[in-house]
Amino acid sequence: MNYKAVFSAAKELNRKIDIKYYVCEDKNCFYIESFVQGGDFFEKVLTWNKNEEETTELAKLFAEKGVHPVHTADIINDMIL
């Protein structure tokens, strides 16, 4: 597993948790790993494309919006339908 980029969503008034998002590559497939810092929730989602730039932009958007890791798989799956 090769890690390519990392983004963060810091605590805010309406979100009391820090979240990290990692873009990683394994066997020419790209994933977004996300987790709540200080917690035990972790999600790793295949992005269904072989494009590092698109995956990086998606992880960046998740960080900007503060998407909870529990929602990342649903969002990515909705995007491919």
Side-chain angles (χ1 to χ4, degrees):
M1 184 78 57
N2 295 318
Y3 291 88
K4 303 289 189 172
V6 62
F7 300 96
S8 312
K11 291 180 188 177
E12 294 180 356
L13 291 176
N14 60 344
R15 185 175 19 83
K16 305 289 186 204
I17 57 174
D18 290 327
I19 306 169
K20 288 281 191 190
Y21 308 86
Y22 291 91
V23 175
C24 39
E25 178 185 15
D26 189 26
K27 300 177 185 166
N28 288 334
C29 294
F30 287 91
Y31 298 83
I32 295 177
E33 290 184 0
S34 54
F35 67 93
V36 175
Q37 289 190 257
D40 58 359
F41 191 85
F42 168 85
E43 184 72 50
K44 179 179 174 184
V45 182
L46 177 64
T47 59
W48 299 104
N49 68 50
K50 295 182 180 185
N51 186 315
E52 180 178 348
E53 184 178 327
E54 288 178 14
T55 302
T56 301
E57 287 300 314
L58 183 57
K60 184 178 177 182
L61 179 63
F62 284 173
E64 288 172 359
K65 300 298 182 183
V67 175
H68 193 284
V70 74
H71 301 296
T72 57
D74 290 335
I75 293 168
I76 290 171
N77 287 329
D78 286 348
M79 291 174 67
I80 47 179
L81 294 177

